[in-house]
Short mmCIF file of all heavy atoms in Angstrom, two decimals:
data_model
loop_
_atom_site.label_atom_id
_atom_site.label_comp_id
_atom_site.label_asym_id
_atom_site.label_seq_id
_atom_site.Cartn_x
_atom_site.Cartn_y
_atom_site.Cartn_z
N GLU N 32 96.05 65.00 33.47
CA GLU N 32 95.32 64.28 34.46
C GLU N 32 95.67 62.73 34.36
O GLU N 32 95.81 62.06 35.42
CB GLU N 32 93.77 64.47 34.25
CG GLU N 32 92.97 63.64 35.21
CD GLU N 32 91.47 63.55 34.88
OE1 GLU N 32 91.14 64.15 33.79
OE2 GLU N 32 90.67 63.04 35.63
N TYR N 33 95.76 62.12 33.15
CA TYR N 33 95.99 60.70 33.03
C TYR N 33 97.40 60.40 33.63
O TYR N 33 97.60 59.37 34.11
CB TYR N 33 95.81 60.23 31.63
CG TYR N 33 96.94 60.45 30.63
CD1 TYR N 33 98.00 59.68 30.48
CD2 TYR N 33 96.94 61.70 29.92
CE1 TYR N 33 99.00 59.86 29.60
CE2 TYR N 33 97.91 61.92 29.03
CZ TYR N 33 99.01 61.11 28.85
OH TYR N 33 99.98 61.34 27.94
N GLN N 34 98.29 61.42 33.43
CA GLN N 34 99.72 61.06 34.07
C GLN N 34 99.61 61.26 35.54
O GLN N 34 100.31 60.49 36.18
CB GLN N 34 100.65 62.13 33.34
CG GLN N 34 100.86 61.91 31.89
CD GLN N 34 101.51 63.22 31.17
OE1 GLN N 34 101.13 64.30 31.56
NE2 GLN N 34 102.39 62.92 30.34
N ALA N 35 98.96 62.26 36.04
CA ALA N 35 98.81 62.47 37.52
C ALA N 35 98.14 61.25 38.13
O ALA N 35 98.48 60.84 39.23
CB ALA N 35 98.11 63.78 37.73
N ALA N 36 97.01 60.69 37.38
CA ALA N 36 96.43 59.58 37.95
C ALA N 36 97.26 58.33 38.14
O ALA N 36 97.27 57.61 39.03
CB ALA N 36 95.20 59.32 37.09
N ALA N 37 98.23 58.24 37.19
CA ALA N 37 99.11 57.00 37.18
C ALA N 37 100.09 57.29 38.38
O ALA N 37 100.42 56.29 39.01
CB ALA N 37 99.96 56.96 35.87
N LEU N 38 100.42 58.47 38.62
CA LEU N 38 101.36 58.71 39.75
C LEU N 38 100.56 58.48 41.09
O LEU N 38 101.12 57.96 41.93
CB LEU N 38 101.74 60.26 39.78
CG LEU N 38 103.02 60.60 39.18
CD1 LEU N 38 103.26 62.09 39.14
CD2 LEU N 38 104.28 59.92 39.86
N PHE N 39 99.33 58.96 41.18
CA PHE N 39 98.50 58.68 42.27
C PHE N 39 98.54 57.19 42.58
O PHE N 39 98.71 56.67 43.64
CB PHE N 39 97.05 59.15 42.09
CG PHE N 39 96.87 60.57 42.33
CD1 PHE N 39 97.97 61.45 42.46
CD2 PHE N 39 95.57 61.18 42.42
CE1 PHE N 39 97.72 62.83 42.66
CE2 PHE N 39 95.37 62.55 42.60
CZ PHE N 39 96.48 63.44 42.80
N SER N 40 98.20 56.40 41.51
CA SER N 40 98.11 54.97 41.61
C SER N 40 99.37 54.38 42.18
O SER N 40 99.34 53.53 43.12
CB SER N 40 97.92 54.36 40.23
OG SER N 40 96.69 53.63 40.20
N ALA N 41 100.52 54.80 41.67
CA ALA N 41 101.81 54.32 42.11
C ALA N 41 102.08 54.72 43.60
O ALA N 41 102.92 54.02 44.24
CB ALA N 41 102.94 54.95 41.17
N TYR N 42 101.41 55.73 44.10
CA TYR N 42 101.56 56.05 45.45
C TYR N 42 100.49 55.62 46.33
O TYR N 42 100.27 56.09 47.45
CB TYR N 42 101.64 57.57 45.65
CG TYR N 42 103.20 58.00 45.42
CD1 TYR N 42 103.70 58.22 44.23
CD2 TYR N 42 104.07 58.13 46.50
CE1 TYR N 42 105.01 58.59 43.89
CE2 TYR N 42 105.34 58.51 46.30
CZ TYR N 42 105.83 58.71 44.98
OH TYR N 42 107.13 59.10 44.82
N GLY N 43 99.62 54.70 45.84
CA GLY N 43 98.57 54.07 46.67
C GLY N 43 97.31 54.94 46.80
O GLY N 43 96.55 54.74 47.80
N VAL N 44 97.23 55.90 46.00
CA VAL N 44 95.89 56.80 46.07
C VAL N 44 95.02 56.21 44.94
O VAL N 44 95.37 56.08 43.82
CB VAL N 44 96.25 58.26 45.78
CG1 VAL N 44 94.97 59.03 45.57
CG2 VAL N 44 97.09 58.80 46.77
N ARG N 45 93.74 55.83 45.39
CA ARG N 45 92.78 55.12 44.49
C ARG N 45 92.36 56.12 43.46
O ARG N 45 91.89 57.25 43.67
CB ARG N 45 91.56 54.72 45.26
CG ARG N 45 91.58 53.19 45.46
CD ARG N 45 90.28 52.71 46.07
NE ARG N 45 89.26 52.49 45.05
CZ ARG N 45 87.92 52.58 45.22
NH1 ARG N 45 87.51 52.99 46.39
NH2 ARG N 45 87.17 52.20 44.22
N VAL N 46 92.37 55.74 42.19
CA VAL N 46 91.79 56.46 41.09
C VAL N 46 91.01 55.50 40.23
O VAL N 46 91.19 54.30 40.35
CB VAL N 46 93.00 57.09 40.19
CG1 VAL N 46 93.69 58.14 40.94
CG2 VAL N 46 93.78 55.97 39.65
N PRO N 47 89.98 55.98 39.40
CA PRO N 47 89.26 55.08 38.61
C PRO N 47 90.15 54.42 37.57
O PRO N 47 91.12 55.14 36.98
CB PRO N 47 88.21 56.05 37.91
CG PRO N 47 88.30 57.39 38.48
CD PRO N 47 89.59 57.41 39.25
N GLU N 48 89.92 53.19 37.16
CA GLU N 48 90.77 52.57 36.16
C GLU N 48 90.49 53.25 34.85
O GLU N 48 89.31 53.68 34.50
CB GLU N 48 90.40 51.13 35.92
CG GLU N 48 90.51 50.14 37.24
CD GLU N 48 89.14 49.62 37.36
OE1 GLU N 48 88.84 48.58 36.73
OE2 GLU N 48 88.37 50.13 38.26
N GLY N 49 91.49 53.33 33.97
CA GLY N 49 91.18 53.98 32.63
C GLY N 49 92.55 54.18 31.93
O GLY N 49 93.61 53.75 32.41
#
Side-chain angles (χ1 to χ4, degrees):
E32 177 190 5
Y33 77 91
Q34 296 167 315
L38 266 179
F39 279 13
S40 240
Y42 277 83
V44 174
R45 254 188 91 209
V46 294
E48 307 121 80

